[in-house]
C-alpha cells in the first residue's frame, strides 16, 4: 500500500516549483517579447503624451501670490512679524513651541527630532529679506529699537484692523498706532511683486542654494495657496494625497493612506498625521510578518485561489 502524500507545508520544504510541468507547452522568444514590449509601450507613451500631455500648471511663487492676492500677502506678513502664523507655532523641527506637536499616546515623536531647522518667522521671512534691498526701509530701525511688547501690540492691532475691512485691503484700514508694521509689510509686498523675495528666501545667503522650505512655509501660512489646493481638489478632505491637478490620474496606490483621513477618529483628531502613520506601519508589519503568523499564514491553503490561477497545473492533481 502506497503512503499518502503529506500535505504541503513550507516547513517541510515542498518544492512545488521543481515539479515537472504537465500542462501545455509553447515556444517563447524572450528577446522578441522584450522588443515588442518596449516598442509597443514606447509608442503608447509617446502617442498618449502627445494627445493628453501632462499637468503643466505654472508654479506658485511669492511673486504670483503678491500679484494676485496682495491683501492676503500683507495679512500673512503681519502674522509672521507677530509670530502668530502656523509656521511660528508649528513646533519641531522649526521651533520649540510648547504643546504644538502631535503625539501617539504618551510618545512625542515630533519633539524627539528636536529643532533641526530653526525658523524665526519675523527675521527669516520679513526683516532679513528687507535688509538685502539696496535701500532698506527706515522702518527696520524703528522695529529693531522697539521692545517686544511694542512689537506685539503693533502687529496685533494691525492684524485686527486688516481683518475688520473688506477683503483685508490695507488701503481701507482705519488710522491707528501700528508702528512700522504697515511700512514693513508694504515694502515686503513690493519686494515680492518684483520677484526678489523668492530668490532671497531660496538662496539662504548662498549663491547656489535652492532650499524651497522657507518659501513653501511662507506660502502655506496664507490662504491663497490653500485656496489653490482646494480648487484643484488637492486638500486632505478631498483625497488630495492621491490626486493630481486637472484630470490626470494620481497615485491610486495611496488610497488606503488617504482613506484613513476621511474616517473617524482620524478626520477629527489633532494627532491625525501620527495616528495614520502608525496605522500604516502596523498594516505594513502585518503584511511583512504574514508568513510567520499562525492562522493567517494558512489562509491561502484554506482558500485555494491559487488553484484557479494555475488551473492547468493543478487540473490533474
Amino acid at each position: 500500500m502506497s503512503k499518502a502524500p503529506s500535505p504541503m507545508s513550507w516547513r517541510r520544504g515542498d518544492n512545488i516549483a521543481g515539479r515537472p510541468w504537465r500542462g501545455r507547452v509553447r515556444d517563447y522568444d524572450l528577446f522578441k517579447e522584450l522588443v515588442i514590449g518596449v516598442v509597443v509601450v514606447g509608442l503608447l507613451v509617446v502617442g498618449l503624451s502627445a494627445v493628453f500631455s501632462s499637468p503643466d500648471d505654472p508654479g506658485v511663487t511669492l511673486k504670483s501670490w503678491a500679484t494676485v492676492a496682495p491683501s492676503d500677502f500683507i495679512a500673512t506678513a503681519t502674522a509672521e512679524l507677530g509670530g502668530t502664523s502656523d509656521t511660528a507655532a508649528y513646533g519641531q523641527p522649526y521651533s520649540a513651541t510648547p504643546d504644538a506637536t502631535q503625539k501617539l499616546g504618551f510618545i512625542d515623536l515630533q519633539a524627539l527630532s528636536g529643532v533641526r531647522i530653526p525658523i524665526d518667522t519675523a527675521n527669516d521671512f520679513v526683516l532679513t529679506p528687507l535688509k538685502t534691498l539696496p535701500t532698506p526701509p527706515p522702518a527696520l530701525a524703528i522695529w529693531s529699537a522697539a521692545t517686544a511688547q511694542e512689537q506685539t501690540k503693533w502687529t496685533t492691532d494691525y492684524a485686527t484692523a486688516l481683518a475688520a475691512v473688506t477683503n483685508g485691503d490695507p488701503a481701507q484700514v482705519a488710522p491707528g498706532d501700528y508702528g512700522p508694521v504697515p511700512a514693513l509689510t508694504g515694502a515686503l509686498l513690493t519686494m515680492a511683486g518684483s520677484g526678489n523675495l523668492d530668490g532671497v528666501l531660496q538662496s539662504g545667503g548662498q549663491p547656489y542654494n535652492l532650499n524651497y522650505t522657507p518659501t513653501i512655509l511662507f506660502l502655506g501660512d496664507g490662504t491663497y495657496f490653500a485656496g489653490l489646493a482646494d480648487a484643484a481638489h488637492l486638500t486632505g478632505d478631498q483625497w488630495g494625497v492621491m490626486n493630481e491637478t486637472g484630470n490626470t490620474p494620481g497615485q491610486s496606490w495611496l488610497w488606503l493612506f488617504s482613506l484613513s483621513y476621511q474616517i473617524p477618529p482620524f478626520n477629527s483628531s489633532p494627532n491625525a498625521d501620527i495616528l495614520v502613520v502608525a496605522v500604516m506601519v502596523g498594516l505594513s508589519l502585518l503584511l511583512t510578518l504574514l508568513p510567520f503568523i499562525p492562522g493567517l499564514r494558512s489562509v491561502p491553503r484554506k482558500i485555494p485561489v491559487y488553484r484557479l490561477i494555475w488551473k492547468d497545473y493543478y487540473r490533474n492533481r
Side-chain angles (χ1 to χ4, degrees):
M1 180 181 292
S2 61
K3 185 178 179 180
S6 60
M8 291 187 298
S9 170
W10 66 274
R11 290 185 179 278
R12 295 190 178 91
D14 296 82
N15 188 6
I16 298 178
R19 296 178 184 179
W21 173 255
R22 303 185 187 282
R24 292 178 297 174
V25 179
R26 63 179 181 179
D27 293 333
Y28 183 81
D29 189 331
L30 180 60
F31 185 77
K32 178 181 177 181
E33 296 288 339
L34 177 63
V35 171
I36 293 176
V38 171
V39 171
V40 171
V41 172
L43 291 175
L44 283 175
V45 170
V46 173
L48 292 175
S49 298
V51 175
F52 298 104
S53 187
S54 61
D56 192 25
D57 293 346
V60 181
T61 63
L62 298 177
K63 179 180 179 179
S64 63
W65 178 22
T67 303
V68 176
S71 296
D72 182 55
F73 184 94
I74 290 290
T76 306
T78 302
E80 306 293 12
L81 265 178
T84 58
S85 65
D86 289 342
T87 298
Y90 187 84
Q92 289 80 1
Y94 307 123
S95 65
T97 306
D99 300 323
T101 56
Q102 295 191 25
K103 300 178 179 62
L104 183 61
F106 63 91
I107 303 175
D108 192 348
L109 296 176
Q110 184 177 340
L112 290 177
S113 68
V115 182
R116 296 179 293 102
I117 311 174
I119 291 181
D120 181 337
T121 57
N123 284 311
D124 295 341
F125 294 166
V126 182
L127 303 177
T128 299
L130 289 176
K131 292 176 183 177
T132 65
L133 292 173
T135 306
L140 284 172
I142 301 175
W143 177 270
S144 300
T147 64
Q149 290 77 11
E150 289 176 320
Q151 294 172 350
T152 299
K153 184 179 184 305
W154 287 334
T155 54
T156 301
D157 290 348
Y158 193 55
T160 302
L162 286 171
V165 300
T166 305
N167 298 324
D169 185 359
Q172 301 180 26
V173 170
D177 183 13
Y178 310 123
V181 175
L184 292 173
T185 55
L188 193 71
L189 176 67
T190 302
M191 183 178 182
S194 67
N196 291 334
L197 185 57
D198 287 282
V200 171
L201 289 187
Q202 291 167 21
S203 69
Q206 303 297 323
Y208 301 111
N209 185 13
L210 296 178
N211 179 13
Y212 289 91
T213 300
T215 301
I216 294 173
L217 292 175
F218 194 2
L219 277 167
D221 287 336
T223 61
Y224 172 68
F225 194 54
L228 293 177
D230 185 73
H233 305 287
L234 298 177
T235 59
D237 58 355
Q238 298 171 320
W239 298 71
V241 74
M242 53 179 291
N243 290 338
E244 291 284 358
T245 56
N247 296 321
T248 304
Q251 302 85 353
S252 58
W253 53 273
L254 287 173
W255 73 267
L256 183 58
F257 194 97
S258 187
L259 173 66
S260 302
Y261 283 96
Q262 318 304 321
I263 59 177
F266 309 108
N267 60 353
S268 60
S269 173
N271 300 307
D273 293 332
I274 188 64
L275 291 177
V276 170
V277 169
V279 168
M280 296 305 298
V281 169
L283 292 175
S284 299
L285 287 175
L286 181 65
L287 180 62
T288 302
L289 300 176
L290 184 60
F292 307 99
I293 302 176
L296 285 178
R297 69 187 182 202
S298 301
V299 170
R301 293 201 297 271
K302 302 297 184 182
I303 307 177
V305 178
Y306 63 91
R307 287 182 174 272
L308 296 177
I309 300 174
W310 292 289
K311 58 184 178 181
D312 286 346
Y313 180 79
Y314 288 101
R315 180 176 288 112
N316 299 321
R317 286 172 171 76

